[in-house]
Amino acid sequence: MNTTASPATVFDIQRIRADFPLLSRTVHGKPLVYFDNANTSQKPLPVIEAMNEHYREHNANVSRAVHQLGEEATAAYEGARDKLARFINAPSRNELVLTSGTTQATNLVAYSYALPRLQPGDAILTTVMEHHANIVPWQLVAQRSGATVKAAPIDQRGELILEQYVAMLTPEVKLACVTQVSNVLGTVNPVREIARECRKRGIALLVDGSQAVPHRPVDVQALGCDFYALTGHKMLGPTGTGALWARREHLDAMPPFFGGGEMIREVRFDGTSFAEAPHKFEAGTPNIAGFVGLSAAIDYYQSVGFEAIHAWEQQLLAYATERLREIPGLRIIGEAAEKEPVISFLIDGTQATDLATLLDLQGVAVRSGHHCAHPLMQFFGVPSTLRASLAFYNTREEVDAFIVALLKVRKLLM
Ligand code: PLP
């Protein structure tokens, strides 16, 4: 059996894989190698079963009903908030707004926090390596307010140039943003240092945690940021789930963004009053079953343990990187000193999309394209990359199968 022992845990990869039914299917008659985890992760049985059970046994709307089912659904939904708050060590469950994902979270901050504060001449600072979800919302509110969006540079290894980020934290910056982990490069950014510099200058910092939460324990208090956005479907949970953590003082000062049911105290035509945070940001019926699934996903991470996950993923990353480097004409984009298991690359004389299409015929799922990071592609002067993104349920044998398939399709295209 393929196991790795650490003092605290024994990582039983075969037992873990047995929890993910999709991993044992075939694609085009070949065993699936799923290396598109940064796009969305696969879901373990406890997540699938928790959602199934919710619909079979407990389905009702939250908050509005006094009947038993309504109470059960509300307890499950609010239980997910408790679990997520503990998962990222938020000081209070009431600082956690449940959203449909990171995109909704960053848009909420854009319209409810940034827009009311922005004056002509102000700026929002982001970086060249961001996902569009951490660029476009800022552009939209900048256009409305006469502010600008500035992007801190990175170097050729795909590392943020920290001194330049800090130098760009000028008085007109009203919000600073950074991803904790790049979805294209795998780079882990020095968020604590950035947060320290932002606090010195009284600038609020938003961290995009979408690609961090699937791989490492997150402690928003230790990070020292003001906002932390995450998405559930990349961390074993269902699509349409996510969260925004924000410091209480910000949530209290922010006006609601969506209006409707669930977010009010009293509605009158001569003036409506709103519920306290986080409910004032959660208009309408939420994705209740989705958050039931996300709760189960958090339990699953905790049962495996991030120490074991990290050790396994880092071994896989090192092995996959080493094997890829053996391929002539292959160029890895993103060689930061600290990375999560995401490898973007190009092969001379081939197009990333052609490679991905042919790899699919070999049963290998990888992503090709711009990965919702146009400015990063522009920085590297490429239209797209091929991206292999790994998870703790992947294996060295899958890396080997991927390399064999890649060599085969490369030959076909050259
Ligand atoms: N930020 C990063 C770094 C991402 O990788 C993604 C998804 O690819 C997002 C934001 C957007 O997440 P969602 O589409 O779930 O809102």
Side-chain angles (χ1 to χ4, degrees), residues 149-224:
V149 176
K150 302 195 288 182
I154 62 171
D155 63 20
Q156 285 298 326
R157 284 159 57 89
E159 288 185 337
L160 189 66
I161 306 173
L162 182 60
E163 313 77 68
Q164 295 210 26
Y165 189 101
V166 172
M168 291 173 84
L169 291 170
T170 50
E172 60 278 11
V173 173
K174 296 294 174 288
L175 177 70
C177 309
V178 69
T179 191
Q180 193 174 0
V181 174
S182 159
N183 63 314
V184 181
L185 309 167
T187 307
V188 179
N189 281 320
V191 169
R192 280 184 196 217
E193 287 86 336
I194 291 174
R196 206 176 307 128
E197 296 300 328
C198 285
R199 286 199 86 67
K200 275 190 212 161
R201 293 162 179 78
I203 298 171
L205 175 68
L206 176 138
V207 175
D208 176 349
S210 309
Q211 299 289 348
V213 281
H215 303 293
R216 48 178 53 220
V218 167
D219 179 338
V220 290
Q221 297 186 62
L223 288 179

Side-chain angles (χ1 to χ4, degrees), residues 310-386:
H310 182 73
W312 184 258
E313 288 184 343
Q314 289 297 314
Q315 280 182 37
L316 284 181
L317 172 65
Y319 182 60
T321 305
E322 178 194 313
R323 294 293 324 268
L324 283 168
R325 284 209 178 105
E326 289 165 8
I327 298 178
L330 188 143
R331 172 185 164 210
I332 293 180
I333 311 270
E335 301 197 274
E338 192 182 1
K339 281 182 66 167
E340 290 300 355
V342 176
I343 314 171
S344 273
F345 60 95
L346 293 166
I347 300 184
D348 287 348
T350 64
Q351 298 294 329
T353 306
D354 296 342
L355 285 165
T357 307
L358 292 176
L359 280 171
D360 177 57
L361 296 176
Q362 301 300 315
V364 177
V366 289
R367 185 164 177 199
S368 67
H370 53 69
H371 315 292
C372 298
H374 278 159
L376 186 59
M377 298 295 115
Q378 288 149 15
F379 173 80
F380 282 107
V382 297
S384 60
T385 71
L386 205 65

